[in-house]
């Protein structure tokens, strides 16, 4: 378990830290992103954080998506004969 946050920074959203040029979002496995300037209010930081998280939402990648990508790939369309392609679709 990580250490507790400094009480004066307890108002900040999770994974947001203050640095010399403003506020940034840092989470392991995701890119570091500057979200607000140094003179931003608490409300502005929270709004910027929510906007950033809304942009990170991605569609889940299913097995059907993988199959569609394979059928559209050059490996499939150029290197496999048409009869074999029909068999694969079946």
């Amino acid at each position: 378990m990580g250490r507790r946050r400094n009480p004066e920074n307890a108002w900040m959203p999770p994974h947001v830290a203050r640095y010399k040029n403003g506020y940034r979002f840092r989470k392991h496995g995701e890119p570091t992103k500057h979200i607000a300037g140094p003179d931003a209010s608490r409300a502005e930081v929270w709004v910027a954080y929510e906007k950033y998280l809304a942009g990170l939402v991605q569609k889940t990648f299913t097995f059907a998506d993988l199959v569609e990508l394979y059928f559209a790939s050059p490996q499939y369309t150029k290197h496999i004969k048409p009869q074999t392609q029909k068999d694969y679709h079946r």
Side-chain angles (χ1 to χ4, degrees):
M1 188 163 125
R3 62 184 175 149
R4 290 184 186 251
R5 224 173 221 207
N6 187 344
E8 64 188 39
N9 294 332
W11 63 269
M12 283 193 248
H15 307 289
V16 172
R18 182 169 172 76
Y19 71 114
K20 66 179 180 176
N21 293 330
Y23 297 89
R24 66 179 166 201
F25 178 85
R26 284 185 69 185
K27 185 175 180 183
H28 183 70
E30 295 181 20
T32 300
K33 174 74 173 155
H34 172 84
I35 60 170
D39 56 347
S41 68
R42 292 179 178 192
E44 291 171 340
V45 172
W46 273 95
V47 168
Y49 170 75
E50 289 170 357
K51 282 183 183 178
Y52 178 70
L53 287 184
L56 287 180
V57 175
Q58 297 177 355
K59 178 186 174 278
T60 57
F61 192 73
T62 63
F63 185 75
D65 295 332
L66 183 64
V67 171
E68 286 178 25
L69 282 175
Y70 175 68
F71 285 153
S73 72
Q75 272 182 318
Y76 180 77
T77 57
K78 293 182 181 177
H79 300 295
I80 297 177
K81 294 187 177 188
Q83 185 60 41
T84 308
Q85 288 180 11
K86 283 183 183 179
D87 290 342
Y88 284 3
H89 275 287
R90 265 190 270 137

